[in-house]
Amino acid sequence: MSDVDTKIASLKIEAPEALVKQTEEFAKQIITILPGIHCAVGYGLANSMLIEGDDGNIIIDTLESCEAAIELHKDFQAISSKPVAAIIYTHNHADHVFGTEVLAGDNLSNVKIYSHATTRKMFDITGLIQRTTFQRAARQFGMYLTEAHGIVNDGIGLHLKFDKNSRRPLLYPTDTFDTDSLNLTIAGRNLVLYHAPGETDDQIVVYMPKEKVLFAADNIYKAFPNIYAIRGTSTRDAIQWVSSLDLMRNLRAEYLVPSHTKPISGAEYIYETITIYRDAIQFVHDQTVRFMNQGFTPDDIIGKKFIQLPKHLKEHPYLQEFYGTVDWSIRAIFDRYIGWYSSKESDLNPDAPSIRAQNLIRLGGGSIKVFESAQTAYSEEKYQWCLELTEALNLHPEDLNKSEIIQLQVLALQKLASFQTSANGRNWYLTKSLEIQGLIEIQPSPKQVSQTIMNAPLKSLFMFLSINLNYQKASEFNQLFLFHFQDTNAKFSIHIRNGIADVKYQWPENIQSKSIDVIVEVTKEEIWKQVIARIKGPIDSVSDEEIILKDGSGEINQELIVPFLIFLTMFTSD
């Protein structure tokens, strides 16, 4: 065992005491807010709420998977065995929607599922970037980490209960609204659903005016907010978030039930807490824009520590950086307004990472000297610089043993993790340290990919085909395929030309038969999903007459199987 290996084996990955203490916030329990109103904490990453009605129950948010919801379903049933009359999705995030099939219980076929109208749209596009968001979410939430790897918690919840065996059947909302609010009476309970965009644009909060209970979704939790999530999201609109918090505080609720961390009570305390939270978001937004207008980049603003939360905000228990951070928010706000370009000329057309690494190593006198510099940086506790140097050496190792570079990089990542108050940053560093050692490979299992495809709307599947077109293969391809699904009469067209797949959710008007290369008749939508998910081969489906191939005149032609198979090979996720 080398000296570096010994260091890795013996290194105890410390964590800030405050982050360790945050774990107490997620002790598994069901908290009764008022008689008949309950909040389940610690069963998954998010909370799930149960409202008992006269002849049925209401559930708000349903955890991240069927497996996570099983124990909760049993415990909710012990409280009330009435059928679930309605489920409310506060927003589209996975940790709030994928346990529905379990929590709905025996009434799954009849339950109404409420959300804002934009939640459906978000579900439709979620799969477009599934592969990269799965990897990044796994790093942010430490899905592959154990206590032995140094995981503490996820900042706003204990852990995301999801692994390669987890099921995530997505049940779409049955009832949506696109106005500012929606008044409902369900099982004798009066509710108001307010559209309150904040952490997501589709966010809704739920208010019970008689009981003065406010279900706050993810617009406030006991941690500094994620104006940008490092797992990969569009930057949240800070001012829109502030406006939603203003709406929420003006309700003067006596009970605040967030979808992460524990509920709180007391009208004045809730008002003051929401005020502090919205003030912190506005402060970071306003000061970032102020320095932007003075010509400073995020690196300038953060590096020179221009923006520091005032003491009364910095010390508030709801603004500790267990989840988002001020620095990440500064970068996100800058990007939302101005985009990726910093205005530094060297950032306009930067060299490829491998070229930059090569130049850095040459400047440092070669890989051996740079590696020695990285070792010195580590011994001097300059872990960020050590990480940057080892990243460059990984791209351009020259004569070095790459395993030695990786082991030093692992040490730097683990040390950086030990200083992180944000669970997101800590989990990312630790997960990456396992990845680069080849100890884990982050990707959804084939079974989970198949489940996603089988649960997706047909429109989304055709959208997926477009973004999976291998343009190198398709560069000389110019063909029009029409699809007809006999069970639903849905029609789609895909015209591959000029390296793009032009997908339309209908057949072109006034088209001539000679312009059509193949008409694909599919007996059932499920058959096409099975082909896309590789559950069933296209040749078998054609042989079984589940897929019927026709020419532009509508005549069945079995010889079209060859162009059909070539067409399918144009679409790859690699």
Side-chain angles (χ1 to χ4, degrees):
M1 183 179 284
S2 69
D3 289 343
V4 175
D5 286 330
T6 303
K7 284 182 181 178
I8 291 175
S10 63
L11 183 64
K12 182 179 179 182
I13 306 166
E14 301 289 346
E17 183 180 349
L19 179 60
V20 175
K21 188 174 177 56
Q22 177 75 343
T23 301
E24 298 172 4
E25 193 72 25
F26 318 122
K28 185 185 292 183
Q29 58 187 306
I30 295 180
I31 300 169
T32 298
I33 313 301
L34 286 171
I37 303 174
H38 315 277
C39 174
V41 179
Y43 285 79
L45 184 71
N47 300 339
S48 180
M49 283 63 69
L50 170 67
I51 302 171
E52 299 177 59
D54 293 338
D55 54 357
N57 294 329
I58 304 162
I59 292 177
I60 300 175
D61 291 343
T62 63
L63 306 184
E64 60 263 44
S65 66
C66 288
E67 289 74 15
I70 290 172
E71 182 182 6
L72 178 58
H73 174 63
K74 179 182 175 182
D75 291 349
F76 273 172
Q77 284 285 296
I79 293 172
S80 173
S81 60
K82 295 173 186 174
V84 176
I87 286 174
I88 299 171
Y89 293 156
T90 60
H91 59 295
N92 69 86
H93 282 172
D95 52 320
H96 299 257
V97 301
F98 280 112
T100 301
E101 184 179 280
V102 171
L103 289 180
D106 295 336
N107 204 35
L108 179 62
S109 59
N110 298 315
V111 69
K112 285 183 173 288
I113 303 175
Y114 293 91
S115 78
H116 193 262
T118 48
T119 299
R120 287 190 64 94
K121 296 177 182 177
M122 294 303 298
F123 284 159
D124 285 343
I125 66 173
T126 297
L128 288 180
I129 51 174
Q130 180 190 22
R131 187 168 180 175
T132 186
T133 53
F134 181 91
Q135 291 176 328
R136 294 172 65 115
R139 293 169 187 149
Q140 174 178 312
F141 293 115
M143 286 161 47
Y144 288 69
L145 299 177
T146 66
E147 288 185 14
H149 298 136
I151 194 167
V152 175
N153 59 59
D154 285 338
I156 55 168
L158 189 58
H159 299 303
L160 187 70
K161 294 184 177 179
F162 183 77
D163 60 29
K164 64 181 180 180
N165 298 313
S166 299
R167 289 200 314 117
R168 285 185 162 187
L170 176 58
L171 299 181
Y172 272 64
T174 60
D175 295 68
T176 64
F177 68 104
D178 59 6
T179 53
D180 291 339
S181 63
L182 175 67
N183 291 277
L184 293 172
T185 300
I186 304 171
R189 292 286 198 174
N190 295 323
L191 310 170
V192 185
L193 277 54
Y194 289 102
H195 184 214
E199 190 177 83
T200 63
D201 287 342
D202 65 330
Q203 199 95 186
I204 63 172
V205 297
V206 182
Y207 187 55
M208 301 179 72
K210 180 181 177 182
E211 296 84 356
K212 294 190 176 180
V213 177
L214 175 60
F215 299 91
D218 281 8
N219 277 351
I220 183 171
Y221 34 69
K222 197 175 181 181
F224 193 87
N226 248 354
I227 293 178
Y228 169 77
I230 59 174
R231 62 182 170 80
T233 61
S234 56
T235 297
R236 285 76 190 253
D237 186 331
I239 295 304
Q240 184 173 255
W241 197 334
V242 166
S243 296
S244 292
L245 288 165
D246 284 339
L247 180 155
M248 292 163 60
R249 68 178 179 148
N250 289 333
L251 292 172
R252 295 282 181 171
E254 294 181 3
Y255 303 90
L256 181 74
V257 187
S259 286
H260 294 280
T261 66
K262 292 177 184 175
I264 58 175
S265 61
E268 285 306 310
Y269 178 58
I270 290 169
Y271 186 87
E272 291 170 4
T273 300
I274 298 177
T275 300
I276 284 284
Y277 210 73
R278 58 90 62 211
D279 286 356
I281 294 174
Q282 183 178 339
F283 174 84
V284 176
H285 169 273
D286 292 354
Q287 294 306 311
T288 300
V289 174
R290 172 182 168 227
F291 286 108
M292 282 167 50
N293 283 330
Q294 294 178 35
F296 294 107
T297 68
D299 287 346
D300 296 326
I301 297 169
I302 295 167
K304 296 179 181 179
K305 301 186 182 302
F306 285 156
I307 299 177
Q308 301 290 311
L309 288 180
K311 188 173 185 291
H312 69 285
L313 296 179
K314 188 177 182 65
E315 295 180 354
H316 196 278
Y318 268 71
L319 293 173
Q320 300 308 295
E321 294 178 310
F322 300 133
Y323 201 51
T325 76
V326 172
D327 288 353
W328 297 344
S329 299
I330 292 167
R331 294 189 186 282
I333 292 164
F334 183 98
D335 181 74
R336 182 175 179 87
Y337 281 113
I338 294 182
W340 61 267
Y341 181 44
S342 68
S343 82
K344 289 195 305 182
E345 289 70 27
S346 59
D347 287 342
L348 193 54
N349 289 292
D351 289 328
S354 59
I355 300 298
R356 295 171 72 181
Q358 185 178 16
N359 290 337
L360 176 61
I361 290 164
R362 284 178 178 173
L363 181 65
S367 60
I368 294 175
K369 288 189 176 180
V370 171
F371 186 70
E372 290 172 354
S373 296
Q375 290 175 310
T376 300
Y378 183 86
S379 65
E380 294 177 351
E381 301 184 358
K382 298 176 181 177
Y383 304 119
Q384 178 65 26
W385 182 229
C386 177
L387 178 61
E388 291 186 40
L389 291 177
T390 53
E391 285 177 340
L393 287 165
N394 256 322
L395 291 172
H396 194 70
E398 291 185 342
D399 298 328
L400 286 176
N401 184 332
K402 200 163 183 179
S403 65
E404 291 185 359
I405 302 170
I406 289 172
Q407 296 307 323
L408 184 56
Q409 188 176 355
V410 167
L411 285 173
L413 287 166
Q414 291 178 338
K415 278 294 187 182
L416 288 168
S418 70
F419 301 127
Q420 283 286 303
T421 299
S422 167
N424 292 347
R426 178 183 177 85
N427 291 342
W428 192 290
Y429 284 135
L430 293 177
T431 302
K432 196 65 180 179
S433 75
L434 297 179
E435 286 183 87
I436 63 175
Q437 293 178 82
L439 298 177
I440 60 171
E441 182 180 4
I442 299 177
Q443 59 182 1
S445 69
K447 181 179 178 181
Q448 288 168 339
V449 172
S450 295
Q451 288 174 350
T452 299
I453 292 171
M454 296 304 294
N455 287 324
L458 204 57
K459 184 176 180 180
S460 294
L461 289 185
F462 278 88
M463 194 185 304
F464 299 162
L465 284 177
S466 176
I467 58 105
N468 282 318
L469 181 71
N470 185 321
Y471 77 91
Q472 289 98 339
K473 285 186 177 181
S475 60
E476 303 297 325
F477 202 83
N478 187 347
Q479 291 192 352
L480 174 63
F481 280 65
L482 304 185
F483 290 80
H484 177 231
F485 295 86
Q486 295 175 355
D487 57 335
T488 59
N489 201 33
K491 292 183 176 181
F492 297 85
S493 70
I494 301 181
H495 187 185
I496 299 181
R497 64 174 189 277
N498 300 324
I500 62 107
D502 183 359
V503 176
K504 295 288 188 287
Y505 306 120
Q506 59 188 10
W507 283 9
E509 296 181 2
N510 304 318
I511 191 166
Q512 302 297 315
S513 62
K514 63 182 180 180
S515 302
I516 304 169
D517 292 284
V518 181
I519 298 174
V520 184
E521 290 275 356
V522 187
T523 56
K524 295 179 180 179
E525 289 187 0
E526 184 180 8
I527 299 300
W528 183 243
K529 291 181 179 181
Q530 288 175 346
V531 170
I532 298 301
R534 299 181 182 178
I535 296 172
K536 188 168 186 178
I539 295 177
D540 292 335
S541 296
V542 172
S543 298
D544 294 341
E545 297 185 347
E546 296 168 330
I547 293 178
I548 302 163
L549 303 176
K550 299 179 179 179
D551 61 23
S553 300
E555 297 294 325
I556 296 175
N557 184 348
Q558 294 296 329
E559 294 181 1
L560 292 173
I561 186 67
V562 174
F564 179 56
L565 293 175
I566 293 173
F567 167 84
L568 290 176
T569 65
M570 298 290 159
F571 303 95
T572 62
S573 58
D574 299 325

